[in-house]
Amino acid sequence: MLKKIAILGSTGSIGRQTLEVIEQHPENFSVEILTANNSAELLIEQAIKFKPNTVVIGNKEKYKQVSDALIDHDIKIYAGEEAIAQVVEMNTVDIVLTAMVGFSGLLPTVNAIKAGKTIALANKETMVVAGDIITKLSHEYKVSILPVDSEHSAIFQCLVGEYHNPIEKIYLTASGGPFRGKNVEFLRKVTRCQALNHPNWSMGDKITIDSASLMNKGLEAIEARWLFGLRPEQIDIVVHPQSIVHSLVQFEDGSMKAQMGLPDMRLPIQYALSFPERLKVNFERFNFLDYPSLTFEKADIKVFRNLDLAFEAMKKGGNLPCILNAANEIAVDNFLKSKIGFVEMSDIIEKTMELSTFIAAPTFDDYLNSNAEARELASEIIKKRN
């Protein structure tokens, strides 16, 4: 059966690779909706090529540009964040792939779940911010959430056929980023360009900075806690520079399962879209002889403090992961604009966590308010530093 896909964030790295997967399997998938925030030119190009039912440009000021370019095409065109959150409810959509960056992915995901759509989740912040609510909604509406992140896809794949066997522990692997083995003094001098130079993966700017600071691994740990129903002490991070083992599951009998392969995001994307089937592809294959040594080491939380802050937020729970995420988004944005240093990001996140209002059992509105408060606090902290 042809699956009709809505891609939220089609112009980003995950969105573009999703379109590559769909292009390879026209008999399995078709594009129903494409959305982008600012990249109007690429959105127009994608729309002309893939002929979706609907496109949405988040930036309302670019609506006319998109509308004029697609006037001769039979495509519905909308603009604004509200429209992105609404189009996921269309009855022609089978799967919503959420590849939007940051907090902005939360409301569209909630609406898609309430509309009964299968979620292919590439927006980890949704689970970080409100994992308890998303989990409850998915059960209430009987909606599957299929992970797209390579690490969570790996855990998911290891659990197929094992659902009645309790997990003892999971290990999320991390490449270590471009600064593995460096000390704090080195990190103080890190430039934007250095931080954007990831050794193994090609990703968007925000996630690349998160990877360099190891915040990405902290966010992934919180996401895994909700996706797989784990306690914080059941989650560990292992640095694996080769990025061949994408993550591991340890069961109660001590046996372990790992999912392996070359670092290529198209594989977990395709698995989420095609599940429970595996579709044949012509991607490059992993060869053990090319990797005679696979190494593993402990993450240095004294140097990469973001990882420690993320685990602290996960253990305390409530709205603290939401606060962590909001502060991190502000910190990363300011680092990318060269307004603060690399190490300062952790200082700002920690201070924001200290100053923000803690709520032990937050509602959806509490999450919205906590996000706004933390962003404002983080911005004020940065202004005082400059």
Side-chain angles (χ1 to χ4, degrees):
M1 183 183 295
L2 189 71
K3 296 179 181 178
K4 296 182 177 181
I5 315 298
I7 306 175
L8 309 187
S10 66
T11 59
S13 175
I14 296 294
R16 296 194 305 272
Q17 291 178 87
T18 301
L19 289 171
E20 288 181 37
V21 169
I22 291 173
E23 192 173 16
Q24 284 208 9
H25 301 284
E27 71 284 1
N28 298 96
F29 313 116
S30 68
V31 178
E32 188 68 10
I33 297 171
L34 296 174
T35 83
N37 186 31
N38 276 306
S39 303
E41 293 82 3
L42 182 52
L43 180 64
I44 291 164
E45 182 184 319
Q46 292 174 341
I48 292 171
K49 180 175 181 178
F50 289 93
K51 300 176 176 56
N53 180 311
T54 301
V55 302
V56 185
I57 181 73
N59 185 342
K60 292 182 178 180
E61 294 179 1
K62 297 192 176 184
Y63 172 79
K64 188 176 187 303
Q65 177 186 351
V66 176
S67 181
D68 288 351
L70 299 178
I71 195 168
D72 295 327
H73 299 267
D74 186 21
I75 299 173
K76 301 180 186 72
I77 303 150
Y78 302 101
E81 292 181 4
E82 304 89 348
I84 294 174
Q86 290 169 0
V87 294
V88 297
E89 300 171 6
M90 289 172 53
N91 58 16
T92 52
V93 172
D94 296 310
I95 299 176
V96 176
L97 188 137
T98 61
M100 298 170 71
V101 177
F103 185 86
S104 61
L106 177 59
L107 185 56
T109 304
V110 168
N111 285 2
I113 292 172
K114 288 182 176 179
K117 311 301 181 185
T118 296
I119 306 297
L121 187 69
N123 172 255
K124 64 176 63 66
E125 290 87 352
T126 290
M127 298 301 283
V128 171
V129 168
D132 54 342
I133 288 176
I134 297 298
T135 302
K136 287 174 186 174
L137 283 174
S138 68
H139 290 153
E140 180 182 348
Y141 290 90
K142 297 178 173 59
V143 163
S144 296
I145 299 179
L146 305 173
V148 169
D149 271 346
S150 61
E151 295 82 3
H152 301 92
S153 177
I155 299 298
F156 181 64
Q157 292 181 59
C158 289
L159 290 175
V160 171
E162 300 278 6
Y163 291 109
H164 298 294
N165 292 319
I167 297 170
E168 185 169 280
K169 199 165 191 177
I170 68 166
Y171 294 87
L172 298 173
T173 55
S175 69
F179 309 129
R180 181 175 65 90
K182 304 299 184 184
N183 58 29
V184 174
E185 289 310 309
F186 178 92
L187 295 183
R188 291 190 195 282
K189 302 170 186 176
V190 159
T191 66
R192 179 184 187 276
C193 290
Q194 287 175 307
L196 288 172
N197 186 25
H198 195 280
N200 297 336
W201 297 94
S202 175
M203 305 172 289
D205 286 359
K206 195 266 182 184
I207 193 172
T208 304
I209 299 303
D210 281 347
S211 181
S213 71
L214 290 196
M215 176 57 87
N216 199 42
K217 242 7 86 170
L219 298 179
E220 287 175 5
I222 300 170
E223 181 184 6
R225 179 252 187 277
W226 294 110
L227 280 175
F228 305 113
L230 302 171
R231 302 183 305 278
E233 59 269 23
Q234 289 179 286
I235 303 169
D236 205 349
I237 308 296
V238 177
V239 175
H240 169 52
Q242 296 81 23
S243 295
I244 296 299
V245 177
H246 298 304
S247 279
L248 309 95
V249 177
Q250 181 172 299
F251 296 97
E252 289 188 327
D253 63 355
S255 64
M256 301 181 78
K257 277 189 177 181
Q259 191 267 329
M260 302 171 65
L262 293 172
D264 188 334
M265 277 306 302
R266 292 174 299 176
L267 294 174
I269 290 168
Q270 179 172 295
Y271 189 73
L273 296 184
S274 66
F275 181 81
E277 297 179 63
R278 290 186 184 270
L279 302 178
K280 184 176 176 61
V281 292
N282 58 5
F283 303 156
E284 184 182 358
R285 267 40 177 181
F286 169 71
N287 184 341
F288 277 97
L289 299 182
D290 293 334
Y291 293 84
S293 178
L294 298 178
T295 60
F296 303 88
E297 58 196 61
K298 190 174 179 63
D300 189 343
I301 59 173
K302 290 184 179 178
V303 174
F304 297 95
R305 292 197 298 122
N306 279 355
L307 188 56
D308 197 33
L309 292 171
F311 269 83
E312 178 188 331
M314 176 169 56
K315 289 172 183 175
K316 188 168 182 181
N319 66 335
L320 199 56
C322 176
I323 293 164
L324 169 96
N325 179 73
N328 180 62
E329 288 188 19
I330 294 297
V332 170
D333 181 60
N334 279 271
F335 172 73
L336 286 169
K337 292 174 180 174
S338 300
K339 292 184 177 179
I340 61 172
F342 189 84
V343 172
E344 283 183 282
M345 290 192 292
S346 298
D347 298 335
I348 289 153
I349 294 163
E350 184 175 35
K351 193 66 177 175
T352 304
M353 289 169 66
E354 290 174 4
L355 296 176
S356 294
T357 305
F358 177 71
I359 303 171
T363 63
F364 185 79
D365 285 342
D366 288 331
Y367 283 125
L368 297 179
N369 294 333
S370 294
N371 175 67
E373 180 193 34
R375 286 171 184 274
E376 186 175 342
L377 279 169
S379 298
E380 284 299 318
I381 292 165
I382 291 168
K383 281 181 186 176
K384 289 178 181 177
R385 284 173 170 258
N386 296 331

